[in-house]
Each structure stands twice: as C-alpha cells, then as structure tokens.
Amino acid sequence: MTLILHKMGDRIWKIIKTISDMYEIDLERFKHRRPFELLVSVILSQRTSRENVRKAMERFTRRFKSVEDVANARLREIEAAIKPAGIWKMKAKRIRNIARQLLKLEGGLDSILKSPYPEARKILASMEGVGPKTADVFLMAARNEPVLPIDTHIFRIMRRLGVADEEDDYESLRLRLEKETPPEMRMKAHLALIDFGREICRARNPRCSECPLAGICSSRRKT
Ligand code: SF4
C-alpha cells in the first residue's frame, strides 16, 4: 500500500514538474489589480478565455471605481460593462451581490485578506456566488496564498493521467496535488496546468502527439 502511495506521489510530481517547466508564467500578472478587481476578474473568468476577461475588465474598471459604485449600480450597467466575458446576466448579478455583501462586512475585503487562510476562505465561500474554488483562486492571486486551486482543465488532465477518478471532488484532488507540490510552486503549477489544458490536453481533440506525458498516459489518442 505504501509503495502504491509513493508511486502515485511520484507520478503527480512528474506531471506537475513537466507541465510547470513547459510554460513561462508571469507570476506578477495579478500585482497591478486591487483586491476587489481581482475578485471580479475571478468571477468573470468562469467559462471564458483570458482575452475575454481582459476586455471585460478594461470596460469594468473604466466604468466602476469602487465597491460602492458596483453595489449601487443597475444590473444592466454591470452587464453592459462585462459583456465580453460571456454569461453576463448571471455574472453581473453575482458581482453586484458580492459588492453588497462586502459593504456589510466590517473592513470589507481588506479584513478578509488579513485573516488566516481557513477563516478567509470560510468568509469568502459563505458569500452567494463565491465557492471554494473562487475563494482559493482569489486568495492565491491577491496575497500569494500557497494553494493549488482545481478547475475543470486540471480535473480533466488529472483524470486522463490516472490521478483523479469519479470519486474525487474539488477538496480531495486539491489536497492530493498540494501534498506533492512545494508551496512556492503551487501558483505556477495552477496556471501552467490551465495553459496545458487549453492548448494540449484539450477537452476535445487533445494534442497527444505533442504531449510530453503521452508515455505515461493511458488516455492518449493512438493517432
Ligand atoms: S497524452 Fe493526450 S490525453 Fe494524455 S495527458 Fe497528454 S494530451 Fe492529455
């Protein structure tokens, strides 16, 4: 049993290391954003490309200057600003709800960012529209929290490579990957895995012939 666990640990590390080494990742990309903008960009990034998020954030930050602005805005104004990010009706509602909830919270986002990880995550995840993944990505981006958030790309890659199965959920897979990934590498690993999922191990037509992990992947396409 111990041997099997060791083997799984080695496998995870090989996957994380190989994929992290494939990409030049700009770890400073979140630095220029204020915390509320970061939270909005995490909400906007659901089911869309980075380019669409960039366009939507440009419009959003031009129109809204504070949490109060957003909390008091009409939904259709927020919708118009974030349109390039897609599913704007749902996202606009979520963003305004979050802004309103933050205004009720003493110290707002700053106080959350000063709290220890379990508490910060609990407060964020208790807000309507913020789940554990959004909370983790936000904390990772806003204060370099050493977490390795799991998105749909990472789930798919890990399933194909035999690291995750149907029994797994967000928490079990996150903890499994974090156990094998040094804290200082987790942000890079998260971002590199997403790039790999978008470019190589795509949901449809994965590019297995270009994949450096094809030799250990039983899901590889034989073509
Ligand atoms: S071999 Fe194909 S399915 Fe397997 S990890 Fe690589 S791209 Fe994904």
Side-chain angles (χ1 to χ4, degrees), residues 90-106:
M90 188 265 276
K91 289 176 180 173
K93 211 166 166 186
R94 213 167 254 190
I95 289 166
R96 191 174 70 175
N97 275 342
I98 291 168
R100 289 181 174 176
Q101 291 170 83
L102 283 173
L103 285 186
K104 288 188 199 144
L105 195 76
E106 207 186 320

Side-chain angles (χ1 to χ4, degrees), residues 157 160-161 196 200-201 206-208 211 213-214 217 219-221:
I157 295 163
R160 286 175 173 171
L161 283 160
F196 181 75
I200 307 283
C201 194
R207 293 159 64 188
C208 301
C211 176
L213 293 165
C217 181
S219 308
R220 70 183 177 276
R221 282 149 54 101

Side-chain angles (χ1 to χ4, degrees), residues 101-170:
Q101 291 170 83
L102 283 173
L103 285 186
K104 288 188 199 144
L105 195 76
E106 207 186 320
L109 262 186
D110 287 342
S111 79
I112 295 177
L113 285 171
K114 284 182 196 144
S115 305
Y117 171 64
E119 204 181 317
R121 189 181 196 241
K122 198 167 153 199
I123 303 171
L124 285 163
S126 72
M127 293 182 180
E128 201 189 327
V130 181
K133 189 195 93 182
T134 301
D136 281 345
V137 176
F138 169 69
L139 291 170
M140 179 196 80
R143 70 170 194 197
N144 233 334
E145 187 69 42
V147 283
L148 204 166
I150 307 295
D151 78 336
T152 50
H153 295 291
I154 301 179
F155 237 113
R156 181 179 66 253
I157 295 163
M158 294 302 160
R159 257 198 319 269
R160 286 175 173 171
L161 283 160
V163 170
D165 61 29
E166 311 75 48
E167 308 268 290
D168 278 305
D169 58 15
Y170 178 84

